[in-house]
Amino acid sequence: MQNGEGVAQDWSKAAHWFAAAAAQGDAAAQHNLAVCNEHIQGKAQAPAPVASSGKSGGCYVATAVYGSYDCPEVWTLRRFRDTTLAGSVFGRGFVRVYYAISPTLVRHFGSSGWFLRPARLAVGALVRHLQNRGVSSDKYTD
């Protein structure tokens, strides 16, 4: 598999993660937990959930692109966010802007091919670049 192709959506794992964040009062996680439960029950009409905007939140666009919060490409991006971006003022600013904009993008366009195709190309290129620079794609837990 390359660039997340064939990665199954694992709604149960996502629901578990969102339940933990929702228990801490994260409103976005509460919404996403409901979306996961709709998918699990087969009643879903919404696009893939996006992760919480908390300190150890998820990668909204990558989760929509790869269909899972729990895949090697997203692990690479989460690790980069937490080990590199979080270490500088500019990196933290970028993360704040990303979390302010990307949930709305994914909510409105996350199931559209015209959004997902170029997003997959851009995110895939970034992931390959990060992995070539030594950012691991091993399983990552926030």
Side-chain angles (χ1 to χ4, degrees):
M1 281 182 275
Q2 183 176 345
N3 295 330
E5 293 169 358
V7 174
Q9 293 183 347
D10 191 340
W11 296 107
S12 296
K13 285 183 182 178
H16 174 76
W17 188 89
F18 289 128
Q24 296 178 1
D26 186 314
Q30 292 169 356
H31 166 76
N32 291 327
L33 177 59
V35 172
C36 288
N37 287 332
E38 288 176 0
H39 279 275
I40 291 167
Q41 296 168 4
K43 300 177 184 175
Q45 295 184 8
V50 294
S52 160
S53 61
K55 181 179 178 187
S56 60
C59 299
Y60 290 89
V61 174
T63 299
V65 165
Y66 295 113
S68 175
Y69 181 70
D70 197 26
C71 68
E73 295 82 4
V74 177
W75 296 334
T76 299
L77 293 167
R78 289 164 50 199
R79 186 172 280 112
F80 176 69
R81 174 200 63 205
D82 293 346
T83 61
T84 303
L85 293 178
S88 75
V89 171
F90 293 113
R92 289 188 300 274
F94 172 80
V95 170
R96 281 192 196 105
V97 170
Y98 175 81
Y99 284 132
I101 296 170
S102 61
T104 302
L105 284 174
V106 171
R107 188 172 18 262
H108 292 293
F109 309 115
S111 61
S112 302
W114 67 264
F115 174 80
L116 291 175
R117 281 187 292 277
R120 178 180 288 268
L121 291 173
V123 173
L126 175 59
V127 168
R128 283 188 302 280
H129 174 76
L130 293 173
Q131 289 172 345
N132 288 339
R133 295 195 63 193
V135 179
S136 174
S137 62
D138 292 342
K139 185 160 180 68
Y140 186 74
T141 305
D142 299 273

